[in-house]
Amino acid sequence: MLIQTPRQEGENVLTPEALDLHLQAALTASKVQVSLYGKSWDLNKICYKSGVPLIENGMIERMIEKLFPCVILTPLDCFWEGAKLQGGSAYLPGRPDIQWTNLDPEQLLAELGPFASLEGFRELLDKAQVGQAYVGRPCLHPDDLHCPPSAPNHHSRQAPNVAQELSGGCHGFSHKFMHWQEELLLGGMARDPQGQLLRAEALQSTFLLMSPRQLYEHFRGDYQTHDIGWSEEQAGTVLQAWQRRFVQLAQEALPENASQQIHAFSSTTLDDILHAFSEVSAARVVGGYLLMLAYACVTMLRWDCAQSQGAVGLAGVLLVALAVASGLGLCALLGIAFNAATTQVLPFLALGIGVDDIFLLAHAFTEAPPGSPLQERTGECLRRTGTSVTLTSINNMVAFFMAALVPIPALRAFSLQAAIVVGCNFAAVMLVFPAVLSLDLRRRHCRRLDVLCCFSSPCSARVIQILPQELGNGTVPVGVAHLTATVQAFAHCEASSQHVVTILPPQAQLVPPPSDPLGSELFSPGGSTRDLLGQEEGTGQKAACKSLPCARWNLAHFARSQFAPLLLQSHTKLSRLSPQAVVLVLFGALLGLSLYGATLVQDGLALTDVVPRGTKEHAFLSAQLRYFSLYEVALVTQGGFDYAHSQRALFDLHQRFSSLKAVLPPPATQAPRTWLHYYRSWLQGIQAAFDQDWASGRITRHSYRNGSEDGALAYKLLVQTGDAQEPLDFSQLTTKKLVDKEGLIPPELFYMGLTVWVSSDPLGLAASQANFYPPPPEWLHDKYDTTGENLRIPAAQPLEFAQFPFLLRGLQKTADFVEAIEGARAACAEASQAGVHAYPSGSPFLFWEQYLGLRRCFLLAVCILLLCTFLVCALLLLNPWTAALIVLVLAMMTVELFGIMGFLGIKLSAIPVVILVASIGIGVEFTVHVALGFLTAQGSRNLRAARALERTFAPVTDGAISTLLGLLMLAGSNFDFIVRYFFVVLTILTLLGLLHGLVLLPVLLSILGPPPEVVQMYKESAEVLSPPAPQGGGLRWGVPSTLPQSFARVTTSMTVALHPPPLPGAYIHPASEEPTWSPAATPAANGPSNLGPRGLCPATG
């Protein structure tokens, strides 16, 4: 296709100069030749030719085959210059080469008449109204030496009125069957009050080519292809190569300083765009995965080699990458088609989701209770986090399976692939990654370097004993090998975890506790040996391997000491409103704004949204959408009913469809362009010829040889009875008509007449685009047959497929498409009540029909998914209360994402719908972990919310950052569509999930949260008063005069070290500047406990 527009917007293109430039570009493109398989291929070999007739004379048939014109819809066909685009030529002795620029069919037939019988061919040309073809049309430049003398303006030498000539459209070489309407040729038209065409802003030419199948069939068995193993695949390659060259030369045909610009496009161009759009970018995939690897390694590295987990991060990302690859491979084995969403988005999205679980397990592994046996660490980790990982994975799979309910093939394929990949991720994380953690546990137990595990750690801890007399002045001996101090401590046995917690007295504090904005209930007891050691590190001499203060900072420390107190405190100094109220107000405002933004979301997705901006392809599509919003569609009739007895219903169906607002009506002087109208018109024509021959006596009851070709055809049809026993009845010649008074074809003649029409009127059949199936049999009319066999006409088989072509116009917005589709569906529904089975077909119905029920399917999928999420969470958490809060947050996320799409101008189509539906499953990653941490914590709601944040803030944040890093590579795509519809939307989704999971949900839990799911094994004592601040900053060591009754006095020997070698896998709090002792949270056992071997506490009566 070629579209010509002026460089200066609004300029008129209906001038001879503008058409000259159009001719220059079209002529350059039509002369394209490509060499493939040792052959040269030009337009005349591969173009579509409408209804080439079969002629008995072999010489004439070959000449006609070479001369028969290609179907080119161009405004140049209104002028003689349109013949220059036809490349066929033929040779006759004594004449110059015959081309369409000098061919007068009427004159040629007159010259050949004495040498060949061409009566049938002459009648065919007369019916098609070929006339003088191109030589009878005006010349754009009558001064051209080749302008034929038969041109209307040849003698006057006056340039034609271009607007007047183009008014009403143009014709190909056949005036009857090849009429190109104005809307196909001109864009941006303006008319005077009387409706006369004045100006236009765009010209369009369309070159029709054969399909690969048609090209293969055309040259199959031909001498030109017998030596190359001709196949349909080779035919497709030829067409693609020619189209690429066509577009390239057409775009280069006009100089850059020309007043007009040419936009060229082809079906191969579109295929190339979609292929590039769907092609996997290895650089982006590798870059995204390398970013993930780097972040996972860096975020899990520690200065203390025994606590570092960089290798675990690397192994986890690689494991998830392998799981994604295996999931995609499984999808290929299952036959699920890959598309652009699969190749451009799924590798990054699936990796981000999988790495979330990796971070959660790794963080939970470091927080295993100290003192638990090595062989039980992995089980303890899975016990603490397995529920979260299982719940999020199941919800993600359910989310994508629910998205597959939307009846859009590409969306369904992406959703199924995503669900399968998430399942593979889940299996890898739960079955393989725990083994990786166990191996890393063994490495840390052997005190080997992280990543480089073959080398021992240089930071092996040196055990330094603290002498009792040295504790008084706060000094720590250096170089002492083993000194044992006997101190008094309090031991509390937790029966649930079967280990002992040793707590030093409050007087062991080094500094007074600061004021606690949360009432000293957000922190666990601070009088443990670990806290004493951390404080001693701050006052005594530093060990050789002590880390820098900045290295001791991490996300868990930030959540515990800054984020949770700020978010959950009851009031602030700057405002009377509590932070919880501020959060609720802000999120409420965001929700209200998003509800307004949701009203701005429009349906639709045009090719201009997919093609990269600034390219020549985008310029063509923009011009086509602006000036030529025409779409060729077909009304397909199926089998299951009798066409012969349903003619009236077929005519009514065509009439209803033609009356639709979007259907382009044919000119008033032209019959409807359908096979049934052409078929009936042809029968009426041969009936009129028969009536004339019968009246003149050229045709009698016993002979038709003296009649015309059409009269003889009518004779043969009129004597048909349709009865196999008595097939002929000559009495019907005067009593029967081929078309009755109501305009219907007699049913007994319908299929026999169809055979004759298809064989005798190839131009009418081609123009009708009937595409019959099964195709009627070939039958050759022989007027001079004397055997009578030619009277036996084989009937065509009952039709199972036929179509009526239509043109839809004025389709600019999605609402226009939806209106046209609904009208077409309604017309088909009415026809079905009359017994006619039909449906509309074409690109509008293929690409835009999704919008008829897209929002309904979207809402249905979201509702089903929210219900499934509620049921899954309620069953696995055994807490409907929490499940309801989770579903509330997820629903808010979906509404807010939808509203933000409206503000960003992102239209609703299959791609945003799958992201919106998947947002619920992805949002579970940000909410379930926090909710589960809240349920398994003890204390007040504020305390439990803070502990849940402390436990999940780091892995959730790490998972979000890893997802964003994976999505970051999408920002570098050449397609704006991928950047806007994938990168932007998924980035907003991740940020919304982070805010809702770590800000809104903890606030809701602190206000409306359910009671804990664990039993509190101790009770808080209100009798313990805050310890006095130590005087002079010295270290005070002693036993309080009074002890809580819930503690037992135990004398034990303790070995104290500045940097004790941690138990492998144990979570070691870094030294902090603030004290963490909180007397209000002092744990108290219900009674004295006895210590058993290894700190176990056996049950006593």
Side-chain angles (χ1 to χ4, degrees), residues 470-474 507-510 532 536 1030 1033-1037:
E470 293 176 326
L471 292 176
N473 54 19
Q507 283 78 353
Q509 298 297 322
L510 298 176
L532 174 63
E536 181 64 27
L1035 176 63
R1036 299 181 59 189
W1037 187 280

Side-chain angles (χ1 to χ4, degrees), residues 796-820:
Q797 298 182 38
L799 294 176
E800 298 179 10
F801 182 95
Q803 60 184 22
F804 298 151
F806 292 93
L807 284 174
L808 301 183
R809 63 175 178 178
L811 303 182
Q812 296 283 346
K813 301 179 180 179
T814 303
D816 301 330
F817 286 95
V818 171
E819 182 182 358

Side-chain angles (χ1 to χ4, degrees), residues 113-124:
F115 305 100
S117 177
L118 298 175
E119 182 181 353
F121 184 55
R122 182 181 288 107
E123 289 188 5
L124 179 65

Side-chain angles (χ1 to χ4, degrees), residues 133 323 472 543 790:
N790 204 234

Side-chain angles (χ1 to χ4, degrees), residues 253-535:
L254 300 185
E256 294 185 359
N257 59 353
S259 61
Q260 307 284 315
Q261 53 186 348
I262 290 292
H263 311 289
F265 200 76
S266 70
S267 58
T268 298
T269 307
L270 179 59
D271 292 339
D272 291 341
I273 290 174
L274 296 179
H275 177 73
F277 180 70
S278 303
E279 188 177 12
V280 179
S281 174
R284 287 202 300 271
V285 172
V286 172
Y289 278 45
L290 288 178
L291 281 176
M292 289 268 202
L293 284 170
Y295 179 78
C297 182
V298 170
T299 195
M300 300 182 74
L301 280 174
R302 297 292 184 269
W303 288 89
D304 188 348
C305 301
Q307 299 183 36
S308 180
Q309 288 183 301
V312 171
L314 293 175
V317 173
L318 293 176
L319 178 63
V320 173
L322 292 176
V324 172
S326 64
L328 293 177
L330 180 58
C331 294
L333 290 177
L334 294 176
I336 303 176
F338 283 57
N339 54 55
T342 302
T343 58
Q344 298 286 354
V345 177
L346 191 55
F348 306 105
L349 184 62
L351 185 63
I353 292 175
V355 172
D356 290 346
D357 295 333
I358 293 296
F359 280 120
L360 184 67
L361 285 172
H363 281 78
F365 199 76
T366 61
E367 295 177 357
S372 57
L374 300 182
Q375 61 271 23
E376 297 179 6
R377 292 293 174 83
T378 304
E380 177 67 21
C381 173
L382 292 177
R383 184 183 70 82
R384 293 160 60 94
T385 60
T387 302
S388 295
V389 174
T390 302
L391 189 57
T392 55
S393 299
I394 290 177
N395 271 281
N396 280 327
M397 288 188 285
V398 171
F400 288 115
F401 278 128
M402 288 300 104
L405 294 176
V406 180
I408 302 172
L411 173 60
R412 180 177 290 117
F414 173 82
S415 302
L416 293 176
Q417 289 163 342
I420 292 174
V421 169
V422 169
C424 293
N425 273 346
F426 175 60
V429 169
M430 294 299 290
L431 299 178
V432 182
F433 190 64
V436 175
L437 291 174
S438 298
L439 291 176
D440 188 67
L441 177 64
R442 182 174 301 178
R443 173 195 65 79
R444 289 188 285 160
H445 181 63
C446 296
R447 300 192 184 96
R448 294 187 176 273
L449 285 176
D450 191 13
V451 182
L452 304 176
C453 56
C454 296
F455 301 95
S456 298
S457 171
C459 295
S460 298
R462 216 169 36 139
V463 178
I464 302 176
Q465 305 300 326
I466 302 177
L467 296 177
Q469 61 272 19
E470 293 176 326
L471 292 176
N473 54 19
T475 60
V476 179
V478 179
V480 180
H482 280 85
L483 289 176
T484 302
T486 299
V487 299
Q488 288 182 321
F490 308 106
H492 166 59
C493 176
E494 293 186 0
S496 59
S497 57
Q498 295 186 342
H499 66 275
V500 175
V501 177
T502 303
I503 304 174
L504 292 177
Q507 283 78 353
Q509 298 297 322
L510 298 176
V511 293
S515 61
D516 190 347
L518 288 176
S520 301
E521 65 175 357
L522 290 185
F523 307 104
S524 53
S528 65
T529 307
R530 181 183 63 200
D531 299 319
L532 174 63
L533 296 176
Q535 295 170 15

Side-chain angles (χ1 to χ4, degrees), residues 735-756:
T735 60
K736 196 172 187 178
K737 296 293 184 180
L738 296 179
V739 179
D740 62 20
K741 295 180 180 181
E742 296 181 358
L744 302 179
I745 304 167
E748 64 273 12
L749 293 179
F750 186 86
Y751 284 110
M752 284 182 288
L754 193 64
T755 298
V756 177

Side-chain angles (χ1 to χ4, degrees), residues 144 288 367 371 385 441 487 579 608 711 742 745 775 871 904 951 957 1026:
D144 190 335
E367 295 177 357
T385 60
L441 177 64
V487 299
T608 50
E742 296 181 358
I745 304 167
L871 294 176
L904 295 178
R951 177 181 173 185
T957 304
S1026 299

